[in-house]
């Protein structure tokens, strides 16, 4: 049902898009505190991710191992995210998030100790990346579910875009700082810094006073009952299925460039540590720019057409990178892909948030994350294998060509939307 006081959209239409500033949610002190803490944590996370990717290319030159590293971090999202969503809908989300942050802090500390002692090999790097992905998988549904508890109504879409922008701003800053420190000190320092960045998120969550009505809206179902209810809700929602189908059309072929970026940067372009960090960072530059421009883009095109344009542009840009494998061209293409990814992710995520009632929000977002990360795992392994067999250029060309008919297919599926989230 629509929130009290809202105007229901007309038949077949998502309704008018309110004119809300991209920065409006930052006026909310709780949202600002958590956004800032999460930004710092993500900076540490991207320092660690980029350092881990560089370290893997130092341990082996096989593209498949770089792809396995990407898959190790995302596979837990596919395997455990729904389980995490059930837990986040059953228990207090604030305390639950704090426990997840402590787990990820412990994993980062383990990486730092092994790297310092010189005991980190490619298998332990893969295993601990999986453990870090497990922490992210358990944390993500609850984190997404608390956003509508902090901001609501017309501010929800820019709040989600700001969260994505913060993630990608960290992706801009983290790799550059991380690779600079790596060249001066070593990879263990990147893991150590990331360990301490979780402290800010823990304190921000402890300071947040969760609304009583949000706690009351959660249903204390048994585990099996909650799982059945969640599956039944998702299966019965044609709107959710439409969003998931559109996401699969983009994320499976679209992940090729991101998956192969460590191989492209180090072996195809011959970059050093610092330039490698910049190449990673420009993805975030494009993503942040798109996030800030998104309210205007969505007013001009609508979220549905904005996503289709993003998919088409991403296909063309990836083909350009494959045909002109030089640093400045690849850098521009990576930035363009960052803008395309943030557009699709933010608009899809907002549509899911607006469809889900509060008592089902974590489970619904968990399924959304499962589809997203499952597509990334499949795409990462697929394009990594193709690159192993036929070369990086062939993998990029194939992914670009595959994205063309899938964009046409996505255009035939309307992106659901509404003006307000359900309660």
């Amino acid at each position: 049902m629509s929130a009290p006081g809202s105007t229901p959209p007309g038949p077949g239409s998502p309704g008018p898009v309110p004119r809300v500033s991209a920065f409006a949610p930052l006026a909310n002190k709780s949202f600002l505190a958590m956004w800032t803490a999460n930004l710092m944590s993500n900076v540490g996370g991207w320092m660690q991710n980029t350092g881990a990717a560089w370290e893997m290319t130092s341990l082996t030159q096989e593209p498949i191992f770089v792809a396995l590293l990407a898959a190790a971090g995302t596979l837990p999202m596919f395997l455990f995210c729904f389980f995490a969503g059930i837990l986040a809908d059953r228990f207090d989300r604030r305390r639950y998030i704090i426990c997840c942050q402590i787990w990820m802090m412990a994993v980062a500390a383990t990486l730092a100790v092994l790297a310092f002692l010189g005991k980190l090999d490619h298998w332990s790097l893969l295993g601990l990346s999986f453990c870090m992905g497990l922490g992210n998988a358990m944390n993500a549904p609850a984190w997404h579910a608390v956003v509508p508890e902090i901001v609501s109504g017309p501010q929800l879409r820019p709040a989600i875009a700001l969260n994505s922008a913060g993630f990608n701003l960290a992706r801009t800053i983290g790799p550059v700082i991380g690779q600079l420190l790596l060249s001066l000190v070593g990879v263990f320092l990147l893991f150590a810094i990331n360990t301490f960045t979780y402290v800010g998120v823990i304190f921000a969550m402890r300071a947040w006073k969760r609304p009583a009505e949000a706690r009351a809206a959660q249903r204390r179902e048994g585990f099996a009952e909650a799982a059945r209810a969640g599956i039944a809700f998702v299966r019965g929602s044609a709107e959710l299925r439409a969003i998931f189908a559109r996401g699969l059309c983009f994320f499976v072929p679209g992940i090729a460039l991101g998956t192969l970026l460590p191989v492209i940067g180090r072996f195809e372009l011959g970059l050093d540590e610092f330039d490698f960090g910049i190449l990673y960072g420009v993805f975030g530059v494009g993503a942040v720019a798109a996030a800030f421009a998104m309210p205007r883009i969505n007013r001009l095109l609508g979220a549905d057409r904005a996503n289709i344009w993003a998919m088409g542009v991403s296909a063309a840009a990836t083909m350009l990178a494959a045909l002109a494998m030089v640093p400045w061209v690849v850098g521009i293409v990576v930035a363009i892909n960052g803008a395309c990814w943030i557009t699709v992710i933010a608009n899809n995520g907002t549509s899911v948030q607006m469809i889900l009632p509060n008592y089902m929000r974590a489970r619904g977002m968990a399924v959304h994350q499962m589809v997203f990360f499952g597509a990334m795992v499949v795409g990462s392994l697929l394009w990594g294998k193709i690159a192993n067999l036929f070369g990086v250029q062939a993998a990029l060309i194939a992914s670009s060509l595959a994205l063309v008919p899938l964009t046409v297919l996505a255009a035939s599926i309307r992106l659901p939307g509404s003006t307000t989230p359900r309660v």
Side-chain angles (χ1 to χ4, degrees), residues 9 13 87 180 261 265 274 292 362:
S13 168
L87 295 180
L180 179 61
L261 199 57
F274 183 72
F292 290 151

Side-chain angles (χ1 to χ4, degrees), residues 172-301:
T172 303
I173 300 169
V176 177
I177 298 174
Q179 292 304 101
L180 179 61
L181 292 175
L182 185 147
S183 64
L184 296 175
V185 182
V187 73
F188 82 91
L189 182 61
L190 278 59
F191 300 149
I193 291 173
N194 188 43
T195 301
F196 291 101
T197 61
Y198 292 103
V199 174
V201 180
I202 292 171
F203 277 105
M205 290 305 302
R206 284 178 58 86
W208 174 49
K209 304 299 181 184
R210 192 176 180 216
E213 58 270 21
R215 294 194 300 270
Q218 287 188 247
R219 300 180 180 179
R220 303 295 181 181
E221 301 163 293
F223 186 88
E225 180 186 357
R228 285 194 298 269
I231 293 170
F233 185 92
V234 172
R235 289 182 61 185
S237 174
E239 293 174 311
L240 287 177
R241 293 199 303 273
I243 297 169
F244 299 159
R246 284 177 62 119
L248 287 171
C249 287
F250 178 59
F251 298 129
V252 173
I255 193 60
L257 183 63
T259 295
L260 298 173
L261 199 57
V263 179
I264 293 170
R266 187 155 192 185
F267 302 124
E268 299 292 328
L269 303 179
L271 303 180
D272 59 21
E273 293 95 331
F274 183 72
D275 290 338
F276 181 79
I278 292 176
L279 181 64
Y280 250 78
V282 293
F283 184 98
V285 173
V288 171
F292 290 151
M294 195 171 298
R296 177 169 294 182
I297 292 171
N298 283 340
R299 283 198 299 269
L300 292 174
L301 298 176

